[in-house]
Amino acid sequence: MAQSCANLFEQDKQIIAPLYGKADINFVKGEGSYLYDDQGNKYLDFVAGIAVNALGHQNQAIKDAVVEQMNHFNHISNLYPNYPQIELGKALLEITKFDKAFFCNSGTEANEGCIKFARKYFDRKGEKNRQKIITFVNSFHGRTYAALSATGQPAIREGFGSMPGDFVHVTWNDCAALKAEVNKDTCAIMLESLAAEGGVMTLSKEMVETINSLQKEFGCLVIVDEVQAGVGRLGTFCGFEKYGLNPDLVSLAKGIGGGLPLGAVLLRQKIADQLKAGDHGTTFGGNPIACAAGLAVVKQIPGLLKNVAERSAQIKAGLKALVEKYDFAKEIRGEGLILGVALDESMPVGNIIAAARAEKLMVLSAKGNVLRMLPPLNVSAAEVDEALEKLGKAFAAAPKAAAK
């Protein structure tokens, strides 16, 4: 039963741990690329649940798959095989050409799995000294301890005590810094194919070449975090395809579940060969309902890649016009349907987000005062035009920061 927004937020304040800054909107329905609040207002959703709703709201194939599986069973644990998990695994391996899949519940769990599998691989091979994992400044790999230690943002680790060791962070696209860190004791280089939360940062060609060269020279593994950039969001099924990386392990989550909690690790056979029963596990991971939804998502992605490319070009053209018009808008960033605009300090990104919300457009931020846009992969040309019109009004209306 719908409640008033004021009542809902008062209850939220009393009951829910205060870990999020929440907008004062009471959404009651989603449909396609839109969300509706309790007042009947219609918002164009270019947040998509932070890249989770890859196919928008109420995708019929996802709904049908979930209901169909619920008519069989909701959960049986990983003590037994289940058909939806196997079918989703087959689909992912066929598309990506990996050899094995492991299912979990989230991106941070997928990244934890990658870290554990990489270290176990070298341990079982007798190379116990290979523990060091190199990641990047401003990266984001999750909130659990190892994933948080891999994350290159000290501020979000502060106050949680000692972190798991043997993680080193180098500057994004700094080839010399990476070369200086990789040696025969390196376990893995771990990176996002596009650092979305960290500032919508793309990989340089030189960095890709450097990673591939170091992987070959030292035999270290490459872990590619595709939690936000994967599942079609960059115009290829995984971002590593777009840039020419050769990962040994890949983490997936967010969009793969179409709104349900689902994560996955894709492994090369050489790594799977070093794993044994009991090395890792999960109670809910690979839940049949989530996997049924995941398969419904994966089946639709190939047919949307052309739309991703076309809508990306359309959004970039609109953002270019804004950058040319407003002096506080400095740079367009991103690829596919992870796109953003870097703003100077005179315009806090929160002011643009609030102004866009007033225009009934949902957008979000990224590190470094960057506006970030994550529309559904099936967003239409008309919806992009609508979003750009609303964003233009937001840029015009947003107040600049007061001069110091």
Side-chain angles (χ1 to χ4, degrees):
M1 183 176 179
Q3 302 182 52
S4 72
C5 191
N7 183 46
L8 184 75
F9 274 81
E10 183 58 33
Q11 290 188 62
D12 187 280
K13 183 178 179 180
Q14 293 177 4
I15 296 167
I16 305 302
L19 297 172
Y20 304 95
K22 298 182 181 180
D24 56 348
I25 308 172
N26 180 14
F27 288 123
V28 296
K29 181 183 177 182
E31 186 173 347
S33 297
Y34 293 93
L35 283 165
Y36 299 81
D37 70 12
D38 59 345
Q39 303 300 308
N41 295 308
K42 180 180 179 181
Y43 295 77
L44 185 53
D45 182 10
F46 271 42
V47 175
I50 316 180
V52 166
N53 299 318
L55 304 177
H57 300 279
Q58 296 201 52
N59 179 266
Q60 192 61 49
I62 295 174
K63 292 169 69 174
D64 290 345
V66 167
V67 171
E68 171 64 22
Q69 183 54 43
M70 289 182 73
N71 287 331
H72 293 281
F73 49 78
N74 289 1
H75 183 73
I76 56 172
S77 87
N78 285 303
L79 297 176
Y80 318 96
N82 77 70
Y83 183 76
Q85 189 180 110
I86 292 168
E87 289 301 296
L88 176 57
K90 284 164 59 176
L92 289 171
L93 298 181
E94 182 178 352
I95 291 172
T96 64
K97 310 307 178 187
F98 271 73
D99 300 302
K100 290 288 190 293
F102 167 81
F103 290 105
C104 51
N105 306 284
S106 65
T108 193
E109 290 178 69
N111 284 326
E112 291 270 341
C114 287
I115 291 164
K116 291 179 71 176
F117 296 158
R119 287 180 170 166
K120 182 66 78 173
Y121 168 74
F122 283 115
D123 182 83
R124 286 264 159 76
K125 289 185 66 184
E127 300 179 64
K128 298 180 185 294
N129 58 308
R130 299 191 75 147
Q131 297 290 314
K132 183 170 73 171
I133 295 177
I134 299 166
T135 68
F136 292 84
V137 174
N138 289 341
S139 60
F140 185 82
H141 297 293
R143 299 281 186 170
T144 52
Y145 267 90
L148 188 58
S149 192
T151 292
Q153 298 186 41
I156 65 174
R157 295 197 297 270
E158 185 178 336
F160 293 113
S162 299
M163 292 284 141
D166 295 310
F167 288 93
V168 176
H169 307 100
V170 301
T171 302
W172 186 260
N173 283 335
D174 189 334
C175 299
L178 182 61
K179 289 177 182 178
E181 289 291 347
V182 178
N183 55 44
K184 59 183 176 60
D185 291 331
T186 302
C187 173
I189 301 167
M190 182 176 186
L191 72 157
E192 297 153 279
S193 56
L194 188 151
E197 196 278 339
V200 194
M201 302 183 299
T202 53
L203 281 166
S204 69
K205 180 181 178 182
E206 292 75 19
M207 179 54 81
V208 171
E209 291 171 348
T210 298
I211 291 169
N212 289 342
S213 176
L214 292 170
Q215 178 187 29
K216 184 176 181 180
E217 180 179 358
F218 292 103
C220 61
L221 301 180
V222 172
I223 301 170
V224 179
D225 178 341
E226 298 280 5
V227 169
Q228 189 160 149
V231 196
R233 190 152 285 277
L234 297 189
T236 51
F237 189 83
C238 284
F240 70 79
E241 303 168 63
K242 188 178 190 74
Y243 294 109
L245 291 163
N246 300 302
D248 302 284
L249 292 151
V250 165
S251 58
L252 296 168
K254 288 191 182 288
I256 195 175
L260 276 73
L262 182 63
V265 177
L266 305 181
L267 308 81
R268 299 296 184 193
Q269 188 63 47
K270 67 178 184 179
I271 298 171
D273 287 342
Q274 300 297 334
L275 300 177
K276 298 178 181 178
D279 281 343
H280 192 47
T282 168
T283 297
F284 283 104
N287 171 271
I289 294 173
C291 285
L295 184 60
V297 171
V298 168
K299 285 180 176 179
Q300 294 178 71
I301 297 301
L304 293 172
L305 298 181
K306 183 173 183 286
N307 188 65
V308 171
E310 290 174 350
R311 301 291 75 75
S312 179
Q314 184 182 359
I315 294 171
K316 284 181 179 179
L319 296 180
K320 182 174 183 291
L322 291 176
V323 169
E324 290 172 349
K325 183 175 182 180
Y326 295 96
D327 58 2
F328 60 77
K330 295 301 183 185
E331 179 187 19
I332 300 169
R333 295 185 183 178
E335 293 289 346
L337 290 179
I338 304 180
L339 294 169
V341 179
L343 309 174
D344 72 23
E345 62 182 10
S346 72
M347 178 57 74
V349 66
N351 291 3
I352 296 288
I353 292 170
R357 193 183 304 139
E359 295 295 332
K360 306 300 185 290
L361 170 67
M362 311 302 295
V363 291
L364 70 167
S365 66
K367 191 172 180 64
N369 205 40
V370 175
L371 179 73
R372 182 171 30 148
M373 304 172 75
L374 299 167
L377 307 188
N378 53 0
V379 67
S380 71
E383 288 165 347
V384 167
D385 282 340
E386 180 185 346
L388 292 170
E389 180 182 358
K390 291 176 182 291
L391 192 62
K393 292 178 180 178
F395 268 58
K400 285 194 173 185
K404 295 182 180 179

